[in-house]
Amino acid sequence: MAFEGITLALSKGRIFEDTLPLLAAAGITPIDDPEKSRKLIIDTNRPDVRLVIVRASDTPTYVQYGAADLGIAGKDVLIEHGGAGLYQPLDLKIARCRMCVAVPRGFDYDAAVQRGARIRVATKYIQTARDHFAQKGVHVDLIKLYGSMELAPLVGLADAIVDLVSSGGTLRANNLVEVEEIMAISSRLVVNQASLKMKHALLQPVIDAFAGAVK
Ligand code: PRP
């Protein structure tokens, strides 16, 4: 039988951890820890609320198609997804970091831009990178990667990367430097538009509790 309650999609790691206080504010406590259990559907203390654990970049897709009623996804992921079918009522201000352009220490990025050189950029964030460089009028060849972007300039795959930076530790460890901040990133609540109408009585109190808990 189909689940009649509400399903919240979120990813393991920082988003899950930073969401726990928001869930607590809504009176929701997960029964399992996705870091320990391999379960992908996690029940909560409330029989009418369950969590599903998805890959961060898949959260908007689950919510768009209504497989989850709501979800928590980074602005980075939402830009790449495009946001179709998603109501985005709240910036939850969690999992904060920034989207940056980084290059190997010693690569003169400004000079390359000024002389109109074509720059090879490796990134998981094709849409964000395309928009950023188009707006600046910089010619780039974008190379799509799925992770470990910091490696690309070290082995000659790219001149630069567009990636998320939090502590800056990964850049430093790989002798890269940040040359441009593209945007600040945080996670947003996304809600399926049909669910918002059909399950309004269940969803609205959760949205309100999250809103109240956002610092
Ligand atoms: C992110 C990002 C960087 C790193 C930045 O990767 O892609 O590699 O974190 O964090 P820092 O500035 O604190 O070092 P993540 O570990 O989330 O893995 P991913 O490559 O799967 O996105």
Side-chain angles (χ1 to χ4, degrees), residues 106-133:
F107 178 84
D108 195 339
Y109 173 75
D110 290 334
V113 166
Q114 262 171 19
R115 70 169 182 275
R118 235 185 144 75
I119 299 173
R120 280 225 292 193
V121 179
T123 188
K124 180 154 83 172
Y125 305 100
I126 293 286
Q127 193 59 47
T128 305
R130 186 180 289 129
D131 292 349
H132 173 70
F133 292 111

Side-chain angles (χ1 to χ4, degrees), residues 63-133:
V63 177
Q64 172 187 7
Y65 287 98
D69 301 295
L70 69 177
I72 296 176
K75 187 178 174 188
D76 52 323
V77 160
L78 290 168
I79 290 173
E80 296 302 311
H81 172 270
L86 303 177
Y87 169 56
Q88 298 185 31
L90 272 180
D91 178 357
L92 298 170
K93 303 196 171 140
I94 58 171
R96 295 171 100 148
C97 55
R98 52 197 193 274
M99 183 71 73
C100 292
V101 182
V103 300
R105 190 177 297 285
F107 178 84
D108 195 339
Y109 173 75
D110 290 334
V113 166
Q114 262 171 19
R115 70 169 182 275
R118 235 185 144 75
I119 299 173
R120 280 225 292 193
V121 179
T123 188
K124 180 154 83 172
Y125 305 100
I126 293 286
Q127 193 59 47
T128 305
R130 186 180 289 129
D131 292 349
H132 173 70
F133 292 111

